[in-house]
Amino acid sequence: NGYEVIDLGVMVPWPTILAAANDNKADMIGLSGLITPSLDEMVTVAEEMQRAGMTMPLLIGGATTSKVHTALKIDPAYEGPVIHVLDASRAVGVASKLLSDTQRDSYVAEVEDEYVAVRDARAGRTTSELLPLAEARANGFKIDLAEKPEAPAQPGLHVFDDWSLEHLRDFIDWTPFFRAWELHGNYPAILTDEVVGETATQLFADANAMLDQIIAEKWLTARGVAGLWPCGREGDDIVLQKPSPLQGRGLGEGASAALAADSPLPPAPSPEGEGECVRLPMLRQQVKKSRDRANMCLADFIDPAGDWIGGFAVGIHGIEPHSARFQADKDDFSDILLKALADRFAEAFAEALHQHVRTTLWGYAAGEQLDNTALIKEQYRGIRPAPGYPACPDHSLKPILFDLLDAPKNTGLTLTESFAMWPTAAVSGFYFGHGQAEYFGVARVGPDQVEDYARRRGVELATAERWLRPNLD
């Protein structure tokens, strides 16, 4: 489109961004955020641009961003134009208006009016009442111990060095793939949609052709690890025993070395018991509920007297040389397609591994027979909430999970300083096997819970507030 883009990459500190903008005489700066800690960093960049006396537009985009967050948090920090760009396809139009002698001023004023309206509406909005933390805990979810899962058939760690991509292909959820290309509709109905059906069908054909090549030529490698550990509950904390060294190594097809069937299982730990324990502090809903609805916390699904919990991390490796080849050939379509398929493989791996855990490693659903449609609809027992998502919104639990799984060694995955996984085609989370376990959103939390959480995590209040900023009341 005639623009020169200086791509600085990921996890770039603000001094580098500002220096590059000055050195290259940039017309504007663009920031993209994939996970919620990026939102705080965007505010920092805006504040530093203001401090440096810069006036160029600041474009905000990415999966975790929104017009509301931009209006409330980023725009007030910088007097220059701050523009939220809904998706990458809109960037050219936004840039054209910002560089136009005739359209710039009116466009910037229009956006600022929208942001002021957002701030005014938010300032006058009545919000749901929050319960004091003690009352929220008293209204916690009471589990039925009759639905508590049995001890795992194969506890401990299980590593999968090269899970079959052909096998994972059968677990792909195609609907998010089409949405990534701004084609909205559910698969497979989208292929015959009157509006986007033809485009979706061609894209689906291109994707499957590349999948054939990826699998045949072994472009990518799927590596993962799953762990199952005895645990207990103390208040809103889940306390588990520090795992022993590797107890099982997977062979790549969903099989793993089994522990002896008659191996005595260690007792569930108590925080005061013997041996090293790991504490997973969880957050509780505080919004006042109607009728008999509980204020949920993930710890509610754990029996204080002794239970089991799992964790996992999976990643797709090997994309770099193929992406570089496409970029060198200026084949943007193939580059984006490859990255989108790597993301689908990672999600498919998470789905396939969870099924293997339910039916074999943990084994509480040994007779489960669900097709991919049923899996996508989550018609199985148990959940796998991930740090950074609604039921477990704090990304800073990922280092604890990665340590439990020895994920860098066992999967090749690492975490950035803001807890993003690298490579980016990766998924991690916890396994809860209780029959009543369900997904929910923690939503807003009050100052009393933030203070309590800081104490339970052993960090300064300011650190806890930074971790929980999107959920602060």
Side-chain angles (χ1 to χ4, degrees), residues 350 401 414 445:
L401 175 62
T414 58
V445 295

Side-chain angles (χ1 to χ4, degrees), residues 246-276:
L246 182 65
Q247 292 175 299
R249 175 166 291 274
L251 305 177
E253 288 289 350
S256 66
L259 301 180
D262 57 354
S263 295
L265 298 178
S270 68
E272 310 302 329
E274 298 181 358
E276 184 178 1

Side-chain angles (χ1 to χ4, degrees), residues 378-390:
E378 299 170 353
Q379 295 176 351
Y380 46 75
R381 173 177 169 176
I383 58 175
R384 57 172 189 273
Y389 283 78

Side-chain angles (χ1 to χ4, degrees), residues 41-53:
E41 189 64 22
M42 290 177 172
V43 176
T44 300
V45 173
E47 292 172 341
E48 295 301 330
M49 290 176 69
Q50 179 68 23
R51 186 173 290 112

Side-chain angles (χ1 to χ4, degrees), residues 340-404:
L341 291 175
D343 288 340
R344 289 298 90 212
F345 267 133
E347 295 288 350
F349 195 177
E351 193 72 82
L353 182 55
H354 193 190
Q355 183 186 65
H356 181 55
V357 167
R358 294 191 305 271
T359 60
T360 304
L361 300 182
W362 199 331
Y364 63 76
E368 176 185 293
Q369 292 186 345
L370 299 175
D371 61 17
N372 197 39
T373 300
L375 293 176
I376 291 171
K377 293 181 178 179
E378 299 170 353
Q379 295 176 351
Y380 46 75
R381 173 177 169 176
I383 58 175
R384 57 172 189 273
Y389 283 78
C392 185
D394 183 9
H395 282 273
S396 74
L397 291 179
K398 283 181 194 169
I400 302 175
L401 175 62
F402 268 48
D403 181 60
L404 287 167

Side-chain angles (χ1 to χ4, degrees), residues 31 62 133 147 159 175 177 202 204 286 463 469 471:
L31 305 176
L133 180 58
E147 296 193 45
V159 178
T175 296
F177 170 82
Q202 182 58 56
F204 188 57
Q286 282 188 266
T463 299
R469 190 178 304 277
N471 297 84

